[in-house]
Amino acid sequence: MQSESVEQKQRESRSSSVTPDLVSEKPVGNDLEGSRYHTGFLRRTTQLLSRYGIETHGIAPVPAEERLETRWYQMFFVWFSANMNILTFSTGTVGPAFFSLGVNDSLIIIVIVDLVVCLLPAFFAVFGPKLGTRAMVQARFSWGYFGAIIPTVLNVFSMQGFLILNCIVGGQTLASLSSRLDDTLGIVIIGIISLVVRQICWYCIKMYESIAWIPNVIAFITMLGVGYPQLRDNQSAPVSQATVAGVISFASILASSILSWCTMTPDYGIYHSPAASSARIFLYTYLAFFAASVTAHTLGAAFAAAAPNVPAWNEGFNNSSSVGGLLYSVLLPTGAFGKLLTALVALSIPSACAPTMYTFSTSFMAVAPWFAAVPRWVYTLISEGVLIPVAIVGAKKFYTTFVDILNIIGYWSSVFAAIILTEHVLFRRASFSEDQYPITTWASYTLLPSGIPAVVAFACGCGALVPFMSQAWYVGPVARHGSGDVGVYVGFVVGAIAYALARGFEKLWYKKMSKSDA
């Protein structure tokens, strides 16, 4: 505790030379962080949107007295809907379609990875109700005010990457319904619908997420009923021998797709009451992630593995380039009902886009006070303007785009998660108390940690994983020897160890300084 007080004094001693605007500690419940910069059109538009129920809260932490939501089942349905969809189904298809794995190998990998990795976003979800902070604001308590800019900027690009993938998959699914539709028009339609869903009020989104999973579950059950004979026959079909590189790389893709939610799950619990136990919040979120992920992943792997042996499915799959076409071709024997289900599955994509677009905008606002001066709805429009043209281009090489985006997000997310977890468990004593997390200091860089250990650990983690990378555009020296892509795991381990050492050294230094002052 002595070193903690000295560390605090060291920070406070720097505050006298800092410009007041940069040091100012904004009220915890301030609705529009940076609102003092709002003028003219932006202010009037934001006020108008607020009157119509569109949430305009900035990135300021939500105080405990405003965290009143007690419908804990919402924590389950938000993340169940966000994962029980065709994008998660697409991730499962990567094993057979991209890494040439058999269905049995793919299913074993899926179950193991999902069981373990779903623990992480569920753990991060606890931060939202307990602290009332979004992920990129909470990161300041380990990364520091300026250090947190690094993961915040990366998160902006990551969320945009996921939006691109969602629009590609949704657009391909819509395009499979008619020859008059193509991927481009489908992507535009999904992008616009996602924008509209995101702009509706917070509670309407929660209601939407509570039912968005229904058409997907019905579609997946129908696919099983219609395609079971072909799936059963495929069990005896010959498959190529699984390679170590293929197994590990597929596991890395699955892990990356789940790890990426760690930067998002706290954001959707900030209005829930902190009264619930951490175990309850964790359990609701974990069950949602695991149940949805393992179901969609296994179905994707099973149907992708069987497609080459079923001409109608393979034609729809379009040589492993259209997951939406595969889904529609499986449902085709059900006639109009199959078309309806395919359309509903495509139109449910906004259930994953809405939370992603929300975190994209709040992450943008957390980069610097100048970005916080722009209302969040402006960033959603910027996101929309970028994602549609990029998605149209990326759709032409779907699996290359898909794997590259997921892996890159997974690389930095694994190191980020390791740093946050190490700080919370080792240095914050796994406690959410005010003593451990003085939330009122969230916007003051003189009172937050220096962030140097986090930046050092991040550099070490990212540097260590480079030799283990295996991408279409780069294969590291270790990966060239057939290890597969283990960069995600190396980054996590090295990041955790490096942060523990660097942060411990920093605390020892503060302790030494206190003794010399005495």
Side-chain angles (χ1 to χ4, degrees):
M1 292 299 292
Q2 186 182 14
S3 63
E4 286 287 348
S5 62
V6 173
E7 186 176 356
Q8 187 80 353
K9 289 178 182 177
Q10 292 285 336
R11 296 187 199 120
E12 290 172 353
S13 69
R14 301 195 302 265
S15 63
S16 59
S17 62
V18 179
T19 305
D21 281 346
L22 293 177
V23 183
S24 62
E25 297 177 20
K26 301 173 182 63
V28 173
N30 186 12
D31 273 352
L32 285 171
E33 200 235 8
S35 60
R36 65 183 182 277
Y37 301 112
H38 289 187
T39 57
F41 173 76
L42 291 181
R43 179 183 292 276
R44 291 194 299 271
T45 305
T46 301
Q47 291 173 344
L48 176 64
L49 294 174
S50 181
R51 286 195 210 103
Y52 284 95
I54 295 175
E55 197 223 353
T56 55
H57 197 290
I59 60 169
V62 179
E65 60 269 19
E66 294 181 21
R67 283 177 263 151
L68 304 176
E69 183 60 71
T70 56
R71 289 173 290 183
W72 300 106
Y73 63 85
Q74 290 181 341
M75 301 288 286
F76 175 87
F77 284 114
V78 164
W79 302 117
F80 186 78
S81 288
N83 287 276
M84 180 60 80
N85 55 41
I86 193 170
L87 182 65
T88 313
F89 178 93
S90 301
T91 308
T93 68
V94 172
F98 194 77
F99 295 111
S100 302
L101 296 175
V103 64
N104 292 331
D105 294 326
S106 298
L107 296 186
I108 293 171
I109 297 167
I110 286 168
V111 172
I112 294 173
V113 172
D114 287 357
L115 268 172
V116 176
V117 184
C118 285
L119 294 169
L120 291 173
F123 182 86
F124 273 73
V126 179
F127 284 98
K130 292 298 181 181
L131 301 179
T133 56
R134 292 165 177 82
M136 292 300 107
V137 172
Q138 190 275 329
R140 295 177 179 179
F141 290 92
S142 50
W143 289 75
Y145 187 91
F146 293 111
I149 294 174
I150 297 172
T152 301
V153 171
L154 290 172
N155 204 42
V156 168
F157 287 102
S158 296
M159 295 303 101
Q160 191 68 5
F162 265 111
L163 288 169
I164 290 167
L165 292 180
N166 277 300
C167 281
I168 290 174
V169 175
Q172 288 180 341
T173 306
L174 273 184
S176 67
L177 289 171
S178 172
S179 58
R180 297 180 180 179
L181 284 171
D182 59 8
D183 291 353
T184 298
L185 182 56
I187 287 169
V188 172
I189 293 171
I190 294 299
I192 293 174
I193 293 175
S194 298
L195 175 66
V196 172
V197 170
R198 175 56 211 107
Q199 295 291 17
I200 63 178
C201 72
W202 175 268
Y203 297 103
C204 292
I205 290 178
K206 288 293 183 69
M207 288 179 59
Y208 169 73
E209 296 284 357
S210 69
I211 61 172
W213 58 272
I214 295 175
N216 294 320
V217 169
I218 294 174
F220 289 156
I221 292 173
T222 305
M223 288 175 68
L224 273 176
V226 173
Y228 178 74
Q230 291 89 336
L231 294 177
R232 181 189 57 204
D233 294 341
N234 186 60
Q235 290 291 322
S236 58
V239 294
S240 58
Q241 184 68 32
T243 64
V244 173
V247 169
I248 293 178
S249 295
F250 180 46
S252 295
I253 288 291
L254 293 171
S256 296
S257 69
I258 299 170
L259 270 174
S260 60
W261 291 104
C262 291
T263 63
M264 198 184 312
T265 51
D267 296 13
Y268 267 67
I270 58 173
Y271 290 109
H272 281 78
S273 170
S277 67
S278 298
R280 186 176 184 180
I281 301 169
F282 171 85
L283 188 61
Y284 273 125
T285 310
Y286 178 77
L287 290 177
F289 269 94
F290 178 71
S293 296
V294 77
T295 300
H297 286 158
T298 54
L299 287 174
F303 282 101
N309 302 312
V310 183
W313 295 3
N314 199 40
E315 182 181 355
F317 205 12
N318 192 21
N319 294 320
S320 301
S321 64
S322 176
V323 176
L326 172 61
L327 181 139
Y328 177 62
S329 63
V330 175
L331 293 173
L332 192 58
T334 62
F337 181 64
K339 285 191 173 185
L340 175 62
L341 284 179
T342 303
L344 290 175
V345 166
L347 296 176
S348 69
I349 282 290
S351 66
C353 288
T356 306
M357 196 172 287
Y358 178 85
T359 298
F360 169 87
S361 58
T362 56
S363 295
F364 227 131
M365 296 175 73
V367 172
W370 304 280
F371 290 101
V374 180
R376 194 171 62 241
W377 58 268
V378 174
Y379 291 120
T380 61
L381 294 178
I382 294 173
S383 171
E384 187 76 7
V386 172
L387 79 89
I388 290 179
V390 176
I392 291 171
V393 174
K396 301 183 186 304
K397 293 184 177 180
F398 173 69
Y399 273 112
T400 301
T401 305
F402 191 86
V403 171
D404 284 352
I405 288 178
L406 282 185
N407 270 326
I408 292 171
I409 293 173
Y411 293 146
W412 83 265
S413 295
S414 65
V415 185
F416 171 82
I419 291 171
I420 299 294
L421 285 174
T422 305
E423 171 70 24
H424 181 71
V425 174
L426 293 185
F427 302 104
R428 304 280 176 175
R429 303 175 183 177
S431 171
F432 295 99
S433 67
E434 181 65 25
D435 290 340
Q436 298 300 327
Y437 288 97
I439 299 301
T440 55
T441 67
W442 71 277
S444 173
Y445 76 77
T446 59
L447 301 179
L448 288 165
S450 69
I452 295 174
V455 175
V456 170
F458 188 72
C460 291
C462 291
L465 68 81
V466 171
F468 299 88
M469 292 172 56
S470 179
Q471 298 295 310
W473 42 271
Y474 174 77
V475 179
V478 177
R480 287 194 205 108
H481 289 84
S483 69
D485 193 331
V486 294
V488 172
Y489 315 112
V490 171
F492 184 89
V493 174
V494 173
I497 294 173
Y499 184 75
L501 293 174
R503 185 78 160 113
F505 176 80
E506 182 185 52
K507 285 185 169 292
L508 285 175
W509 184 81
Y510 279 125
K511 188 175 182 179
K512 183 179 179 180
M513 291 294 294
S514 68
K515 288 182 179 179
S516 63
D517 290 342

